[in-house]
Amino acid sequence: MSLPHAILTALIEKPSSGLELTRRIDKSIRYFWPATHQQVYRELGRLEEAGLIRALPSSGPRKEYEVLPAGREELVAWVARPEDPKPLRSSLLLRLRAAAVVGSDGLAAELERHRALHQAQLEEYLDIERRDFTPRSEAEKDRLQHLVLQGGISLESHWVSWLDAALAELARPAPHDQPR
Amino acid sequence: MSLPHAILTALIEKPSSGLELTRRIDKSIRYFWPATHQQVYRELGRLEEAGLIRALPSSGPRKEYEVLPAGREELVAWVARPEDPKPLRSSLLLRLRAAAVVGSDGLAAELERHRALHQAQLEEYLDIERRDFTPRSEAEKDRLQHLVLQGGISLESHWVSWLDAALAELARPAPHDQPR
DNA sequence: GGATACATGTAAAGCGTTACATGATTGC
DNA sequence: GCAATCATGTAACGCTTTACATGTATCC
């Protein structure tokens, strides 16, 4: 149940219409919880029905939503609520496991491709860090957001390093098969 | 489309019935692609209908499946097939983001809890590594499986380190608010 | 023979994804 | 006025998860 809370967070920062909200999510929150406009609209409907947000009186087709006190309370409660991490699902690790059984033909190219993707994401995070965060003396709010960013940086660094090791290992001749 | 390929991989290693397959997945593959018995049965039905596996003639209620040549070919092709990584979804990072907006009450306890979970997973991986892998001179098959395990180890290490940093940061007094 | 575990499913709900539909606004 | 874009949705599908259902073997 994370998407509704992502929306509450964004709406508290600034009341928005569905599409505007989608765009704002796509500019920051999507890095650790992506959402399409269809999901956003569906959740906005549910949150309104649950009495956590309300639509502001509007002119035209745009519907602006703001968070009600009950919505803020729910978000405060959710921050402390125990919730286990989602189990890992990596099709890349699965494919290495499959390659151990049927051979690793063509796998290296795919590992290279993933390495490039993670490297690009890492650089995007580092750009954001250089642009938005100073090295020290940050306000509580900034410090928490900086922590989130550092989590992403550390995660992408892990993948790049591991892919480097995997590629080196794939390139290494097999000690038993090769030297005969 | 990863689950069917996880099942093909496990079935090539050893033909199995639905429940046995579920148990075997739960002993290794689940670390990077968990699956319940309901999912397994459904996929077995689909794979059989697609002509990738077949049920062995059996006695009793147990249905044993084995992989057909078409199934092996599909798995070989899948190993090299481009497939982007699933976008990250971390409710913990999301909650840090929410805490930046509504305050971090109760967040530290939850971070501690997650740290313990990741630490336990890390130790489980390290136990497996000590038990199943020698330091060098491994066959191609073992080297790939070792790489998978090292991926898990490095991932859990990342989370433990990051959670340590996050907890230290949360405990640190705010530079602007506090010292007045 | 009765309880327990084994084994194979069905049903339903939630979330995420892709494709499609519809009306209003804006730019030219 | 017409096209493109903005804005708000609906529909359908697949995967995951939880709960429930049903029959079979085994143990004591």
Side-chain angles (χ1 to χ4, degrees), chain B residues 1 3 33 36 38-39 42 46:
Chain B
M1 292 293 293
L3 180 53
W33 204 281
T36 63
Q38 291 90 337
Q39 284 173 279
R42 179 165 50 181
R46 287 178 189 172

mmCIF file of all heavy atoms in Angstrom, chain B residues 1 3 33 36 38-39 42 46, chain D residues 15-20 24-25:
data_model
loop_
_atom_site.group_PDB
_atom_site.id
_atom_site.type_symbol
_atom_site.label_atom_id
_atom_site.label_comp_id
_atom_site.label_asym_id
_atom_site.label_seq_id
_atom_site.Cartn_x
_atom_site.Cartn_y
_atom_site.Cartn_z
ATOM 1 N N MET B 1 8.132 -11.726 -17.843
ATOM 2 C CA MET B 1 7.955 -13.153 -18.162
ATOM 3 C C MET B 1 9.093 -13.971 -17.586
ATOM 4 O O MET B 1 9.754 -14.735 -18.275
ATOM 5 C CB MET B 1 7.896 -13.326 -19.687
ATOM 6 C CG MET B 1 6.669 -12.732 -20.302
ATOM 7 S SD MET B 1 5.202 -13.626 -19.810
ATOM 8 C CE MET B 1 5.498 -15.203 -20.633
ATOM 9 N N LEU B 3 8.917 -15.890 -14.445
ATOM 10 C CA LEU B 3 8.546 -17.082 -13.686
ATOM 11 C C LEU B 3 8.582 -18.361 -14.526
ATOM 12 O O LEU B 3 9.137 -19.371 -14.084
ATOM 13 C CB LEU B 3 7.171 -16.879 -13.041
ATOM 14 C CG LEU B 3 6.649 -18.047 -12.221
ATOM 15 C CD1 LEU B 3 7.656 -18.489 -11.180
ATOM 16 C CD2 LEU B 3 5.327 -17.700 -11.578
ATOM 17 N N TRP B 33 13.702 -14.664 -7.051
ATOM 18 C CA TRP B 33 12.401 -14.687 -7.712
ATOM 19 C C TRP B 33 11.453 -15.626 -6.972
ATOM 20 O O TRP B 33 11.313 -16.794 -7.357
ATOM 21 C CB TRP B 33 12.492 -15.097 -9.188
ATOM 22 C CG TRP B 33 11.314 -14.561 -9.937
ATOM 23 C CD1 TRP B 33 10.041 -15.072 -9.971
ATOM 24 C CD2 TRP B 33 11.258 -13.353 -10.683
ATOM 25 N NE1 TRP B 33 9.213 -14.265 -10.694
ATOM 26 C CE2 TRP B 33 9.931 -13.200 -11.135
ATOM 27 C CE3 TRP B 33 12.197 -12.375 -10.980
ATOM 28 C CZ2 TRP B 33 9.527 -12.100 -11.918
ATOM 29 C CZ3 TRP B 33 11.801 -11.289 -11.763
ATOM 30 C CH2 TRP B 33 10.490 -11.172 -12.216
ATOM 31 N N THR B 36 4.839 -18.803 -5.201
ATOM 32 C CA THR B 36 4.003 -19.664 -4.372
ATOM 33 C C THR B 36 3.567 -20.884 -5.183
ATOM 34 O O THR B 36 3.728 -20.915 -6.407
ATOM 35 C CB THR B 36 2.747 -18.916 -3.905
ATOM 36 O OG1 THR B 36 1.965 -18.572 -5.061
ATOM 37 C CG2 THR B 36 3.106 -17.651 -3.159
ATOM 38 N N GLN B 38 0.637 -21.811 -5.902
ATOM 39 C CA GLN B 38 -0.429 -21.450 -6.846
ATOM 40 C C GLN B 38 0.141 -20.938 -8.156
ATOM 41 O O GLN B 38 -0.319 -21.302 -9.235
ATOM 42 C CB GLN B 38 -1.352 -20.376 -6.242
ATOM 43 C CG GLN B 38 -2.213 -20.853 -5.088
ATOM 44 C CD GLN B 38 -1.526 -20.681 -3.762
ATOM 45 O OE1 GLN B 38 -0.297 -20.620 -3.691
ATOM 46 N NE2 GLN B 38 -2.288 -20.623 -2.695
ATOM 47 N N GLN B 39 1.146 -20.092 -8.044
ATOM 48 C CA GLN B 39 1.788 -19.583 -9.263
ATOM 49 C C GLN B 39 2.430 -20.721 -10.049
ATOM 50 O O GLN B 39 2.335 -20.781 -11.267
ATOM 51 C CB GLN B 39 2.870 -18.562 -8.895
ATOM 52 C CG GLN B 39 2.345 -17.210 -8.485
ATOM 53 C CD GLN B 39 3.475 -16.332 -7.991
ATOM 54 O OE1 GLN B 39 3.898 -16.438 -6.841
ATOM 55 N NE2 GLN B 39 3.980 -15.469 -8.842
ATOM 56 N N ARG B 42 -0.168 -22.859 -11.918
ATOM 57 C CA ARG B 42 -0.684 -22.133 -13.085
ATOM 58 C C ARG B 42 0.319 -22.134 -14.234
ATOM 59 O O ARG B 42 -0.025 -22.391 -15.384
ATOM 60 C CB ARG B 42 -1.053 -20.706 -12.690
ATOM 61 C CG ARG B 42 -1.582 -19.892 -13.867
ATOM 62 C CD ARG B 42 -2.283 -18.614 -13.438
ATOM 63 N NE ARG B 42 -1.456 -17.845 -12.500
ATOM 64 C CZ ARG B 42 -1.829 -16.706 -11.954
ATOM 65 N NH1 ARG B 42 -3.015 -16.207 -12.241
ATOM 66 N NH2 ARG B 42 -1.046 -16.071 -11.141
ATOM 67 N N ARG B 46 0.307 -23.721 -18.133
ATOM 68 C CA ARG B 46 0.564 -22.924 -19.345
ATOM 69 C C ARG B 46 1.730 -23.480 -20.147
ATOM 70 O O ARG B 46 1.686 -23.526 -21.381
ATOM 71 C CB ARG B 46 0.870 -21.477 -18.948
ATOM 72 C CG ARG B 46 -0.354 -20.726 -18.477
ATOM 73 C CD ARG B 46 0.023 -19.315 -18.047
ATOM 74 N NE ARG B 46 -1.108 -18.661 -17.390
ATOM 75 C CZ ARG B 46 -1.036 -17.502 -16.774
ATOM 76 N NH1 ARG B 46 0.113 -16.860 -16.718
ATOM 77 N NH2 ARG B 46 -2.102 -16.975 -16.216
ATOM 78 P P DC D 15 1.730 -13.250 -16.894
ATOM 79 O OP1 DC D 15 3.012 -13.548 -17.550
ATOM 80 O OP2 DC D 15 0.665 -14.266 -16.769
ATOM 81 O "O5'" DC D 15 2.034 -12.679 -15.443
ATOM 82 C "C5'" DC D 15 2.859 -11.530 -15.314
ATOM 83 C "C4'" DC D 15 2.869 -11.107 -13.863
ATOM 84 O "O4'" DC D 15 1.557 -10.621 -13.518
ATOM 85 C "C3'" DC D 15 3.186 -12.240 -12.892
ATOM 86 O "O3'" DC D 15 4.224 -11.795 -12.039
ATOM 87 C "C2'" DC D 15 1.865 -12.496 -12.148
ATOM 88 C "C1'" DC D 15 1.185 -11.137 -12.256
ATOM 89 N N1 DC D 15 -0.304 -11.157 -12.231
ATOM 90 C C2 DC D 15 -0.993 -10.359 -11.295
ATOM 91 O O2 DC D 15 -0.338 -9.672 -10.512
ATOM 92 N N3 DC D 15 -2.338 -10.363 -11.286
ATOM 93 C C4 DC D 15 -3.012 -11.107 -12.161
ATOM 94 N N4 DC D 15 -4.340 -11.082 -12.117
ATOM 95 C C5 DC D 15 -2.338 -11.925 -13.121
ATOM 96 C C6 DC D 15 -0.996 -11.919 -13.120
ATOM 97 P P DT D 16 4.840 -12.733 -10.909
ATOM 98 O OP1 DT D 16 6.236 -12.315 -10.717
ATOM 99 O OP2 DT D 16 4.509 -14.136 -11.232
ATOM 100 O "O5'" DT D 16 4.004 -12.302 -9.622
ATOM 101 C "C5'" DT D 16 4.043 -10.952 -9.198
ATOM 102 C "C4'" DT D 16 3.232 -10.788 -7.937
ATOM 103 O "O4'" DT D 16 1.818 -10.865 -8.259
ATOM 104 C "C3'" DT D 16 3.489 -11.834 -6.855
ATOM 105 O "O3'" DT D 16 3.764 -11.124 -5.652
ATOM 106 C "C2'" DT D 16 2.184 -12.646 -6.808
ATOM 107 C "C1'" DT D 16 1.158 -11.608 -7.255
ATOM 108 N N1 DT D 16 -0.089 -12.117 -7.883
ATOM 109 C C2 DT D 16 -1.300 -11.659 -7.418
ATOM 110 O O2 DT D 16 -1.395 -10.869 -6.488
ATOM 111 N N3 DT D 16 -2.396 -12.158 -8.076
ATOM 112 C C4 DT D 16 -2.400 -13.051 -9.132
ATOM 113 O O4 DT D 16 -3.459 -13.416 -9.634
ATOM 114 C C5 DT D 16 -1.113 -13.490 -9.571
ATOM 115 C C7 DT D 16 -1.003 -14.450 -10.702
ATOM 116 C C6 DT D 16 -0.023 -13.008 -8.929
ATOM 117 P P DT D 17 4.145 -11.855 -4.315
ATOM 118 O OP1 DT D 17 5.044 -10.955 -3.561
ATOM 119 O OP2 DT D 17 4.573 -13.227 -4.653
ATOM 120 O "O5'" DT D 17 2.771 -11.943 -3.525
ATOM 121 C "C5'" DT D 17 1.983 -10.777 -3.366
ATOM 122 C "C4'" DT D 17 0.698 -11.134 -2.657
ATOM 123 O "O4'" DT D 17 -0.268 -11.618 -3.608
ATOM 124 C "C3'" DT D 17 0.837 -12.229 -1.590
ATOM 125 O "O3'" DT D 17 0.416 -11.686 -0.349
ATOM 126 C "C2'" DT D 17 -0.057 -13.372 -2.080
ATOM 127 C "C1'" DT D 17 -1.020 -12.652 -3.015
ATOM 128 N N1 DT D 17 -1.542 -13.476 -4.141
ATOM 129 C C2 DT D 17 -2.880 -13.412 -4.438
ATOM 130 O O2 DT D 17 -3.668 -12.722 -3.823
ATOM 131 N N3 DT D 17 -3.271 -14.179 -5.511
ATOM 132 C C4 DT D 17 -2.470 -14.995 -6.285
ATOM 133 O O4 DT D 17 -2.937 -15.636 -7.210
ATOM 134 C C5 DT D 17 -1.075 -15.018 -5.922
ATOM 135 C C7 DT D 17 -0.118 -15.853 -6.701
ATOM 136 C C6 DT D 17 -0.682 -14.263 -4.884
ATOM 137 P P DT D 18 0.480 -12.525 1.002
ATOM 138 O OP1 DT D 18 0.843 -11.564 2.072
ATOM 139 O OP2 DT D 18 1.272 -13.741 0.780
ATOM 140 O "O5'" DT D 18 -1.032 -12.970 1.226
ATOM 141 C "C5'" DT D 18 -2.064 -12.014 1.049
ATOM 142 C "C4'" DT D 18 -3.396 -12.693 1.208
ATOM 143 O "O4'" DT D 18 -3.780 -13.288 -0.052
ATOM 144 C "C3'" DT D 18 -3.438 -13.803 2.258
ATOM 145 O "O3'" DT D 18 -4.491 -13.523 3.164
ATOM 146 C "C2'" DT D 18 -3.653 -15.083 1.456
ATOM 147 C "C1'" DT D 18 -4.330 -14.562 0.190
ATOM 148 N N1 DT D 18 -4.054 -15.359 -1.040
ATOM 149 C C2 DT D 18 -5.080 -15.599 -1.911
ATOM 150 O O2 DT D 18 -6.213 -15.206 -1.731
ATOM 151 N N3 DT D 18 -4.722 -16.337 -3.016
ATOM 152 C C4 DT D 18 -3.475 -16.840 -3.327
ATOM 153 O O4 DT D 18 -3.298 -17.482 -4.345
ATOM 154 C C5 DT D 18 -2.445 -16.550 -2.368
ATOM 155 C C7 DT D 18 -1.070 -17.045 -2.599
ATOM 156 C C6 DT D 18 -2.779 -15.829 -1.276
ATOM 157 P P DA D 19 -4.864 -14.554 4.345
ATOM 158 O OP1 DA D 19 -5.276 -13.726 5.486
ATOM 159 O OP2 DA D 19 -3.780 -15.546 4.525
ATOM 160 O "O5'" DA D 19 -6.147 -15.319 3.772
ATOM 161 C "C5'" DA D 19 -7.139 -14.592 3.065
ATOM 162 C "C4'" DA D 19 -8.139 -15.561 2.473
ATOM 163 O "O4'" DA D 19 -7.619 -16.119 1.258
ATOM 164 C "C3'" DA D 19 -8.468 -16.754 3.389
ATOM 165 O "O3'" DA D 19 -9.875 -16.830 3.548
ATOM 166 C "C2'" DA D 19 -7.903 -17.957 2.656
ATOM 167 C "C1'" DA D 19 -7.926 -17.491 1.213
ATOM 168 N N9 DA D 19 -6.910 -18.135 0.367
ATOM 169 C C8 DA D 19 -5.571 -18.246 0.607
ATOM 170 N N7 DA D 19 -4.912 -18.883 -0.334
ATOM 171 C C5 DA D 19 -5.895 -19.219 -1.263
ATOM 172 C C6 DA D 19 -5.857 -19.901 -2.492
ATOM 173 N N6 DA D 19 -4.733 -20.395 -3.010
ATOM 174 N N1 DA D 19 -7.023 -20.061 -3.150
ATOM 175 C C2 DA D 19 -8.145 -19.562 -2.622
ATOM 176 N N3 DA D 19 -8.304 -18.894 -1.483
ATOM 177 C C4 DA D 19 -7.128 -18.762 -0.847
ATOM 178 P P DC D 20 -10.538 -17.992 4.451
ATOM 179 O OP1 DC D 20 -11.763 -17.402 5.008
ATOM 180 O OP2 DC D 20 -9.501 -18.573 5.327
ATOM 181 O "O5'" DC D 20 -10.962 -19.100 3.371
ATOM 182 C "C5'" DC D 20 -11.780 -18.699 2.274
ATOM 183 C "C4'" DC D 20 -11.799 -19.795 1.238
ATOM 184 O "O4'" DC D 20 -10.473 -20.027 0.740
ATOM 185 C "C3'" DC D 20 -12.295 -21.159 1.759
ATOM 186 O "O3'" DC D 20 -13.485 -21.488 1.058
ATOM 187 C "C2'" DC D 20 -11.154 -22.123 1.456
ATOM 188 C "C1'" DC D 20 -10.398 -21.381 0.360
ATOM 189 N N1 DC D 20 -8.937 -21.743 0.235
ATOM 190 C C2 DC D 20 -8.493 -22.372 -0.928
ATOM 191 O O2 DC D 20 -9.290 -22.650 -1.821
ATOM 192 N N3 DC D 20 -7.171 -22.686 -1.040
ATOM 193 C C4 DC D 20 -6.333 -22.380 -0.053
ATOM 194 N N4 DC D 20 -5.040 -22.696 -0.212
ATOM 195 C C5 DC D 20 -6.770 -21.727 1.131
ATOM 196 C C6 DC D 20 -8.070 -21.437 1.232
ATOM 197 P P DT D 24 -9.300 -39.379 -4.378
ATOM 198 O OP1 DT D 24 -9.230 -40.101 -5.652
ATOM 199 O OP2 DT D 24 -10.287 -39.756 -3.337
ATOM 200 O "O5'" DT D 24 -7.857 -39.397 -3.710
ATOM 201 C "C5'" DT D 24 -6.758 -38.847 -4.432
ATOM 202 C "C4'" DT D 24 -5.487 -39.047 -3.627
ATOM 203 O "O4'" DT D 24 -5.496 -38.150 -2.489
ATOM 204 C "C3'" DT D 24 -5.318 -40.454 -3.059
ATOM 205 O "O3'" DT D 24 -4.013 -40.894 -3.403
ATOM 206 C "C2'" DT D 24 -5.489 -40.275 -1.552
ATOM 207 C "C1'" DT D 24 -5.021 -38.845 -1.368
ATOM 208 N N1 DT D 24 -5.546 -38.111 -0.178
ATOM 209 C C2 DT D 24 -4.643 -37.600 0.736
ATOM 210 O O2 DT D 24 -3.441 -37.727 0.622
ATOM 211 N N3 DT D 24 -5.220 -36.931 1.795
ATOM 212 C C4 DT D 24 -6.565 -36.715 2.012
ATOM 213 O O4 DT D 24 -6.955 -36.100 2.991
ATOM 214 C C5 DT D 24 -7.446 -37.282 1.029
ATOM 215 C C7 DT D 24 -8.918 -37.106 1.174
ATOM 216 C C6 DT D 24 -6.902 -37.949 -0.019
ATOM 217 P P DA D 25 -3.594 -42.414 -3.251
ATOM 218 O OP1 DA D 25 -2.830 -42.778 -4.460
ATOM 219 O OP2 DA D 25 -4.762 -43.213 -2.831
ATOM 220 O "O5'" DA D 25 -2.575 -42.343 -2.037
ATOM 221 C "C5'" DA D 25 -1.327 -41.698 -2.218
ATOM 222 C "C4'" DA D 25 -0.748 -41.374 -0.864
ATOM 223 O "O4'" DA D 25 -1.737 -40.683 -0.074
ATOM 224 C "C3'" DA D 25 -0.314 -42.581 -0.032
ATOM 225 O "O3'" DA D 25 1.077 -42.440 0.218
ATOM 226 C "C2'" DA D 25 -1.172 -42.507 1.236
ATOM 227 C "C1'" DA D 25 -1.560 -41.043 1.273
ATOM 228 N N9 DA D 25 -2.817 -40.712 1.947
ATOM 229 C C8 DA D 25 -4.071 -41.029 1.536
ATOM 230 N N7 DA D 25 -5.027 -40.570 2.325
ATOM 231 C C5 DA D 25 -4.335 -39.896 3.324
ATOM 232 C C6 DA D 25 -4.755 -39.190 4.457
ATOM 233 N N6 DA D 25 -6.039 -39.045 4.801
ATOM 234 N N1 DA D 25 -3.800 -38.640 5.229
ATOM 235 C C2 DA D 25 -2.522 -38.791 4.889
ATOM 236 N N3 DA D 25 -2.003 -39.437 3.849
ATOM 237 C C4 DA D 25 -2.968 -39.971 3.090
#
